[in-house]
Amino acid sequence: MIDLTELAAAALAVADRVEGEVRAEAVRSLLNVVGTTIGAAATTETDIVAAGMRHSGAPGDAPVPGRGDTFDPSSAALITGFAAHLDDFDDTHLATVVHPGAATLGAALGASWLRDRGTGELLPDRSGDELLRAFAVGIELQLRVAVAMSPSHYDAGWHITGTVGSLGAATAAALLLGLDAETTGRALGIASSMTIGHREGFGTMNKPLHPGKAAANGLVAAAAAARGLDASPSALDGPRGYFAVMAPELAPGLLVDGWGERWELLSNTYKPYPCGIVTHPAIEAAERLHQAVGGREIERVEVRCHPLVVELTGNPDPGDGLAARFSTVHGVAAGVLSGAVDLGSYDDAYVRSAALIAMRARVELIPDPDIPRATAHLAVTLADGSTEKCTVENARGSLEAPLTDDQLDRKVLALVERTLSGREKEIVEISRSVADASSARTWFSALAADPKGN
């Protein structure tokens, strides 16, 4: 049996070992998810969720990065997690396809604004260093849960970012609340029954709600455990528990063994394109072919790829930007036409433009199980009878070709410009220097817009 207290103790113990390359990667993960959160904070979709939480939640003073309004802690956690994942531009653990930063950031923010039930006063603040360590361990816990049940869990149709997110969120919140191992173990047990998300929601507003709700659920699990709520001690691996219900195949050692020696956090990656990760090799190849085509008329584009690309992103004619994020056909069409796929490539108007509709009709996906998931072969047939070809084996942003710090900074600068124009460099500096902050609450507040939207 997986002992929840022992698992929690192992996780809590490695907070002091977030140093060196682990610490550097935690900062990169935090910077990236701050950027994606702020970049989507003022979108119509995030406004819808914010309005819903304002209607259903309690008044509060917890901020959301990139916004000027405030919410109760649970609502702020949910909205933060939602915005972080909305553009599908957040971090990705490639082995499991988990996007771990969104739920973890949301729960950490919410935990920083919880109040004492008796006095009404805010609970003790934490330092930026403690915040960074809690963020890192929250990511590590959820990624370990994910690798233990991959790929069977995802293959069954679950959206793994939501289903493991509540556990990582509970872990981060527990660290910031100063909970001991026994209480944190109960929080994990509670969170294991608060999982959310199936893949049918991909390409809709409901998908980013999964990490948003996971953030809020993990926060609630930690807060309730702190007040004495219990859970089954076999909640994770009992005969009717979390793993039995959701994972046909399980490797528990990947969850419980080697804490502090093996870090899944070090395999986190950062996207250069705001769309499903399996589309990236084909998009990069399409961008390269744009120059080779040189404005000549395209008759046909063939994309040979792994069958998972078709399964996850096979929509041939998406109707809006959210759906287009799960269309390799759209990403390839945008790449060969413009030579650069970015956030603008997924604007609703661009997706619905005549030029893109026409080009998408010329793109064909050809699945081949012998092609690795990280590889795409593109062949463009031109009206003059000639053919241009390109193969990408490891796309930018992969573990083999990770974004450099400079590339990541430039990505975040562009994201922040969408919402907090003029504050781009400030936000990058605030994010990168999180460990130097004396107050987690002050650090989070510095990421918000003022009430006038500046």
Side-chain angles (χ1 to χ4, degrees):
M1 186 179 94
I2 297 175
D3 186 290
L4 289 174
T5 299
E6 291 181 1
L7 175 62
L12 298 180
V14 298
D16 289 337
R17 300 174 70 175
V18 179
E19 302 293 347
E21 64 176 351
V22 176
R23 188 180 189 85
E25 207 58 56
V27 170
R28 281 164 56 86
S29 296
L30 185 65
L31 170 64
N32 187 80
V33 77
V34 165
T36 62
T37 304
I38 292 176
T43 60
T44 299
E45 295 87 350
T46 303
D47 283 345
I48 289 171
V49 172
M53 300 315 297
R54 193 176 297 111
H55 182 70
S56 62
D61 53 1
V64 170
R67 295 184 65 91
D69 42 2
T70 59
F71 303 84
D72 67 272
S74 183
S75 295
L78 187 152
I79 298 164
T80 298
F82 177 92
H85 190 54
L86 176 64
D87 285 324
D88 251 285
F89 216 178
D90 44 345
D91 51 346
T92 306
H93 181 261
L94 296 175
T96 59
V97 208
V98 174
H99 310 287
T104 313
L105 181 71
L109 184 149
S112 300
W113 263 267
L114 290 177
R115 293 180 178 272
D116 183 273
R117 188 177 68 169
T119 66
E121 297 295 320
L122 287 166
L123 295 178
D125 199 359
R126 299 293 177 181
S127 68
D129 179 71
E130 290 170 308
L131 169 61
L132 179 63
R133 293 175 187 276
F135 179 77
V137 177
I139 286 180
E140 183 66 18
L141 187 286
Q142 66 181 294
L143 292 182
R144 282 172 166 265
V145 172
V147 296
M149 59 179 181
S150 289
S152 66
H153 175 71
Y154 192 83
D155 289 347
W158 294 101
H159 182 200
I160 195 168
T161 297
T163 55
V164 303
S166 60
L167 295 162
T171 303
L175 274 160
L176 292 171
L177 294 175
L179 306 187
D180 61 20
E182 189 276 332
T183 309
T184 302
R186 283 191 283 110
L188 291 174
I190 297 165
S192 74
S193 66
M194 303 169 75
T195 57
I196 177 174
H198 49 70
R199 283 165 42 197
E200 197 63 27
F202 284 16
T204 73
M205 295 184 205
N206 199 36
K207 181 176 187 276
L209 185 65
H210 298 164
K213 196 66 170 68
N217 286 351
L219 175 64
V220 169
R227 302 302 302 176
L229 191 69
D230 67 5
S232 168
S234 57
L236 282 184
D237 63 342
R240 292 168 296 279
Y242 178 90
F243 287 129
V245 170
M246 298 199 295
E249 299 176 5
L250 181 66
L254 295 175
L255 168 60
V256 299
D257 296 340
W259 280 89
E261 300 170 2
R262 169 178 59 85
W263 285 88
E264 292 295 333
L265 170 61
L266 294 177
S267 295
N268 211 16
T269 66
Y270 315 100
K271 294 181 177 182
Y273 308 115
C275 52
I277 193 73
V278 297
T279 69
H280 289 200
I283 291 175
E284 184 172 330
E287 288 181 331
R288 294 182 188 178
L289 284 172
H290 169 78
Q291 185 172 2
V293 168
R296 291 175 288 170
E297 183 180 353
I298 296 173
E299 283 194 348
R300 186 173 70 257
V301 182
E302 293 183 351
V303 181
R304 294 179 57 239
C305 55
H306 189 277
L308 186 65
V309 176
V310 181
E311 177 188 341
L312 296 180
T313 61
N315 186 346
D317 193 24
D320 59 29
L322 286 176
R325 285 174 163 81
F326 292 88
S327 171
T328 296
V329 168
H330 174 79
V332 168
V336 296
L337 277 179
S338 69
V341 174
D342 55 19
L343 284 164
S345 305
Y346 295 90
D347 286 344
D348 287 349
Y350 186 73
V351 172
R352 296 167 182 156
S353 67
L356 262 294
I357 292 172
M359 184 56 66
R360 288 197 297 262
R362 300 172 195 172
V363 179
E364 179 184 6
L365 304 184
I366 303 173
D368 183 342
D370 293 330
I371 296 176
R373 284 170 51 180
T375 297
H377 305 282
L378 267 65
V380 175
T381 301
L382 302 166
D384 61 13
S386 62
T387 301
E388 299 288 350
K389 296 181 179 181
C390 180
T391 292
V392 169
E393 294 184 339
N394 293 296
R396 287 188 303 118
S398 65
L399 285 173
E400 294 77 13
L403 294 190
T404 66
D405 281 350
D406 180 64
Q407 289 171 327
L408 184 57
D409 284 354
R410 284 190 277 117
K411 171 185 174 178
V412 174
L413 289 170
L415 283 163
V416 174
E417 184 181 19
R418 299 172 76 196
T419 306
L420 300 179
S421 181
R423 295 186 57 194
E424 299 90 340
K425 292 183 179 180
E426 172 197 351
I427 295 298
V428 169
E429 177 57 31
I430 288 171
S431 301
R432 284 204 172 275
S433 61
V434 57
D436 298 327
S438 60
S439 160
R441 277 198 287 270
T442 300
W443 184 85
F444 276 118
S445 295
L447 302 177
D450 69 36
K452 296 180 181 179
N454 298 319

